[in-house]
Amino acid sequence: MSDVKKNKPQTVKGRLVLKTFARTTKSESLGVYLETADGSFLIRPAGGNPFADNPLAELAGKYIEATGRKSDYVFFARSWREIPAPDA
């Protein structure tokens, strides 16, 4: 896949859940995951400190629409908004 296509911003919809990340390692922590029809992946604000508290954790259990870029198993959200459950 070319770099242009890989770095193209995309919009995803799903439900935020809190799950253990990096289980059984020294990096084990509670991560914020976005569960979508295409799978589950970590989500955090683009440009944010990965070691700081994730502001999306406050929305756990809610549905959001987020725009950003996916890199491996992390979605870096530039913007997000809460949406009603049926629209997700």
Side-chain angles (χ1 to χ4, degrees):
M1 180 181 289
S2 73
D3 289 330
V4 173
K5 287 184 181 178
K6 190 185 336 182
N7 290 324
K8 183 179 177 188
Q10 55 185 297
T11 299
V12 294
K13 293 180 183 181
R15 186 170 77 95
L16 292 173
V17 295
L18 301 177
K19 292 196 259 182
T20 302
F21 171 74
R23 187 178 302 274
T24 70
T25 70
K26 288 194 275 183
S27 299
E28 185 173 312
S29 60
L30 196 58
V32 181
Y33 285 79
L34 182 64
E35 292 184 339
T36 70
D38 296 328
S40 178
F41 43 86
L42 278 170
I43 184 169
R44 65 177 197 242
N49 181 344
F51 301 106
D53 289 339
N54 188 334
L56 290 163
E58 299 171 4
L59 297 174
K62 304 206 181 211
Y63 289 82
I64 67 163
E65 178 179 79
T67 301
R69 299 179 194 278
K70 190 170 180 200
S71 175
D72 294 325
Y73 58 90
V74 180
F75 187 82
F76 297 97
R78 287 188 310 171
S79 64
W80 58 88
R81 67 182 180 93
E82 192 175 336
I83 59 174
D87 289 346

